[in-house]
Amino acid sequence: MTLLSFKFHGPAIDICYANVPNLVEVFIGGRFPELVFAYFPRLSNNLSRLERLTIFVPIIPEEDVDDDGEPPEFPVLRKLKFLKLRVKADNLDSLLVFDSLMKAVPSLDRLVVQFSNWRAPPIRRRRAQKVPKSPLRCLKVVELVGFWGRIPELEFATYLIKNAVMIEKIIIDPIPYHHVGLR
């Protein structure tokens, strides 16, 4: 089959990627974080040419973190060069749960994180967590869209700065991605 690009937004359903060896771009989205866990392993097992991936996911909920406090491990996508995360999180969440995802894309060159800040920040705040050491050897360009400087965003920006050893450019855009056409 010559399918090069695939986009899916909806609830978790059974999708087989076995006969699409030329697929280089995938978008996975929905309101349910289990989409990432349901589809990501299938992608890595069948899509050796995948270069661009967009994931729209709420923050990984506590019930998806194992007993050691670690998020699930993601299978490796060696050819992936571009990753876009559309993340919905509030001040009490942590984006450091994506450390395991960042480890699964060793050739990543460009990362775009689009923060969805639909709600006003809660009054309660939490302390920033310690940033894990996970060298990101190929990451050169990072774009943080909808960056308000909240604790989860600052933690993740710090994580990227400390770990992206080849970083050339960081773009910070305070306008949320769903407001881009309103500028």
Side-chain angles (χ1 to χ4, degrees), residues 67-128:
D67 294 335
D68 297 331
E70 296 292 321
E73 286 193 29
F74 293 96
V76 176
L77 291 170
R78 298 200 184 283
K79 299 261 186 179
L80 197 75
K81 302 278 186 211
F82 176 86
L83 175 63
K84 182 187 290 183
L85 297 173
R86 290 184 181 174
V87 179
K88 188 174 184 182
D90 66 30
N91 235 5
L92 300 176
D93 295 318
S94 175
L95 300 176
L96 296 178
V97 295
F98 290 113
D99 176 49
S100 61
L101 175 58
M102 299 303 294
K103 290 176 185 174
V105 290
S107 299
L108 188 66
D109 177 68
R110 183 178 179 99
L111 173 68
V112 176
V113 182
Q114 297 175 322
F115 302 105
S116 179
N117 300 315
W118 289 98
R119 302 176 295 214
I123 295 172
R124 287 186 24 220
R125 299 191 90 159
R126 64 169 179 79
R127 291 186 177 267

Side-chain angles (χ1 to χ4, degrees), residues 111-177:
L111 173 68
V112 176
V113 182
Q114 297 175 322
F115 302 105
S116 179
N117 300 315
W118 289 98
R119 302 176 295 214
I123 295 172
R124 287 186 24 220
R125 299 191 90 159
R126 64 169 179 79
R127 291 186 177 267
Q129 296 178 14
K130 184 177 177 184
V131 174
K133 184 151 181 69
S134 302
L136 307 170
R137 302 198 189 286
C138 296
L139 188 60
K140 293 180 183 171
V141 179
V142 172
E143 187 173 352
L144 303 174
V145 180
F147 188 91
W148 285 2
R150 298 179 310 160
I151 289 173
E153 298 160 357
L154 290 171
E155 277 177 347
F156 197 67
T158 302
Y159 165 81
L160 293 170
I161 290 167
K162 286 188 173 185
N163 289 298
V165 295
M166 298 295 290
I167 195 83
E168 294 174 359
K169 185 191 302 187
I170 298 177
I171 302 162
I172 296 179
D173 183 350
I175 308 296
Y177 71 91

